Amino acid sequence: MRILLPQGEVTGLLWERRPLPGSWVYLVSFDLWVCDEDGVMATESTRMWVDAPGHVRPFDGVDPAVYLAVPTYPLPTPDSVERQLGPKRRTGWVLQPLRGRAADRAVIHAIDCPDAPAGRAALTWDQALDHAARPGIRLCVLCGAAQELTPLLRGFDTIGEG
């Protein structure tokens, strides 16, 4: 496959493909030049998912049947609960330290909250509850962190209290 990257086109291998509603994603691999700590250049293979046909092109003159032989896995069919409620949310929590504040000031967000800081390690339920119990830690009300963690911290009798 020809893989279209922001810095140009590279040649790679097509490993797998999956249909999405209205499009496809392909698992491709290709080699990159990398420089180690000593300045030595070497190639390193990387794999990534790319959307098709947006970022991949077949080679000219190759029989399309070759690409059809690549393993194709459909997305799992949603169960009845997921069809009714929608896709499951990613689990986990993210701690956002507040800059310019004391070290013990932070906000806990759900991992998929738009205000959650990118690149922070996800917290488990236990870790989120440990942090939430500390003074100076707030729970985000926009993403549901407050609504989901408060009853576990203070008991279910607090649901609905302002």
Side-chain angles (χ1 to χ4, degrees):
M1 298 291 312
R2 294 180 299 147
I3 303 162
L4 309 176
L5 300 174
Q7 59 271 42
E9 185 178 293
V10 296
T11 300
L13 297 173
L14 174 60
W15 291 93
E16 180 181 323
R17 53 194 202 133
R18 294 184 183 209
L20 295 176
S23 66
W24 286 81
V25 290
Y26 287 4
L27 179 61
V28 296
S29 69
F30 53 93
D31 291 334
L32 296 171
W33 285 101
V34 294
C35 184
D36 67 14
E37 294 173 2
D38 299 324
V40 177
M41 297 292 292
T43 59
E44 187 173 296
S45 185
T46 188
R47 281 189 181 200
M48 64 189 289
W49 289 96
V50 295
D51 69 331
H55 290 94
V56 292
R57 301 284 186 271
F59 288 114
D60 296 331
V62 173
D63 184 356
V66 170
Y67 297 109
L68 295 176
V70 171
T72 303
Y73 302 102
L75 293 177
T77 304
D79 62 17
S80 61
V81 172
E82 190 171 344
R83 282 194 303 273
Q84 291 294 318
L85 301 177
K88 293 178 185 169
R89 205 174 105 195
R90 289 179 48 212
T91 59
W93 306 93
V94 178
L95 187 66
Q96 176 189 18
L98 297 176
R99 297 190 200 282
R101 304 277 177 120
D104 59 348
R105 299 279 191 197
V107 178
I108 295 177
H109 299 277
I111 199 166
D112 58 351
C113 179
D115 290 339
R120 302 274 311 180
L123 303 172
T124 65
W125 279 98
D126 289 336
Q127 292 169 326
L129 288 171
D130 286 344
H131 284 288
R134 297 178 185 157
I137 304 296
R138 295 186 330 211
L139 302 173
C140 179
V141 295
L142 298 176
C143 67
Q147 294 86 341
E148 292 180 32
L149 293 175
T150 299
L152 297 171
L153 285 170
R154 298 189 182 96
F156 287 92
D157 293 338
T158 61
I159 295 175
E161 292 180 5

